[in-house]
Amino acid sequence: MKDPQSDRSQNKIGTIAGVAISIAVIAGGTTWWMMSSRSDRPVPDVSPTPTESPVTIETTVEIYWVGGDTQIEFIPTPVALEVGSDRPEAVLTAAFERLLWGPQQPDRFSEIPPGTQLLNLATTPDGAIAVDLSPEFTRGGGSASMIGRLGQVVYTATSLNPDAPVRISVNGEPLNVLGGEGLEVPQPVTRQQFEREFQ
């Protein structure tokens, strides 16, 4: 006599096996269909795009050194610079950084004290060039040295536009008096005004 339990177990095993085979057939068919349908499609390029190197622009600007034996003379020196933008702020910032390194020629010198740093350079709504320097700019020297360093800043700041006014500040504060001898600095100052008052 057959055991009904045994028949039920065999039916369950058969059902499970049938389901498993059906799943395998469906999965295989789906994979084949997906692969065949993609074979005629272009493969997308997923290679990483190269990182773009920053663009540098070569430009020449005049920076001003001090020369002359009997009186202060401001000597323009063309300097080739590489900058990241042709905007006036970028060009003038690079020019001032070069100015603050000091001259390379033996017959040129700077009245700007060593250690002076450019803290900021920008244009203002009234068209002026705003130059903010570190406190070292105000240290040491007599009136001739003060006039010399002031002229270097004014002439270099206006090298792109000789008619532009210049606003000079030290550590964010407007520079109204320079040095112990009290050299009054007009704000803003132009080349023409500087020449009238200090030369």
Side-chain angles (χ1 to χ4, degrees):
M1 185 175 195
K2 279 190 172 184
D3 181 4
Q5 285 284 48
S6 173
D7 285 342
R8 280 198 287 267
S9 295
Q10 287 178 353
N11 285 341
K12 284 183 182 176
I13 292 171
T15 303
I16 292 170
V19 171
I21 290 169
S22 298
I23 291 172
V25 169
I26 292 169
T30 302
T31 302
W32 174 84
W33 178 79
M34 288 176 67
M35 294 300 287
S36 64
S37 67
R38 288 183 181 178
S39 61
D40 59 344
R41 294 182 189 171
V43 178
D45 182 14
V46 292
S47 57
T49 56
T51 305
E52 293 183 11
S53 57
V55 177
T56 56
I57 299 167
E58 291 186 5
T59 187
T60 301
V61 67
E62 289 184 336
I63 60 176
Y64 284 78
W65 306 115
V66 178
D69 295 327
T70 57
Q71 63 179 11
I72 297 174
E73 183 182 349
F74 296 100
I75 304 169
T77 304
V79 176
L81 301 170
E82 287 189 357
V83 293
S85 165
D86 60 356
R87 294 178 63 226
E89 293 92 339
V91 175
L92 291 175
T93 295
F96 265 90
E97 288 171 352
R98 180 64 191 83
L99 175 69
L100 297 176
W101 287 347
Q104 305 298 310
Q105 302 93 329
D107 59 339
R108 305 284 188 270
F109 62 96
S110 177
E111 290 292 355
I112 299 173
T116 300
Q117 296 177 14
L118 177 68
L119 301 181
N120 191 40
L121 189 145
T123 56
T124 64
D126 63 356
I129 308 297
V131 180
D132 188 28
L133 299 165
S134 64
E136 288 84 356
F137 181 73
T138 63
R139 296 179 184 157
S143 59
S145 174
M146 299 296 171
I147 292 171
R149 71 186 71 172
L150 185 62
Q152 284 183 266
V153 169
V154 170
Y155 282 97
T156 299
T158 57
S159 57
L160 299 180
N161 178 8
D163 296 324
V166 182
R167 294 188 184 281
I168 304 170
S169 58
V170 172
N171 214 23
E173 296 296 323
L175 180 65
N176 296 313
V177 177
L178 180 59
E181 297 181 22
L183 184 71
E184 291 186 18
V185 180
Q187 293 282 2
V189 58
T190 62
R191 284 190 182 194
Q192 296 76 16
Q193 190 174 14
F194 177 84
E195 289 166 4
R196 282 197 310 270
E197 296 195 19
F198 300 112
Q199 289 188 293

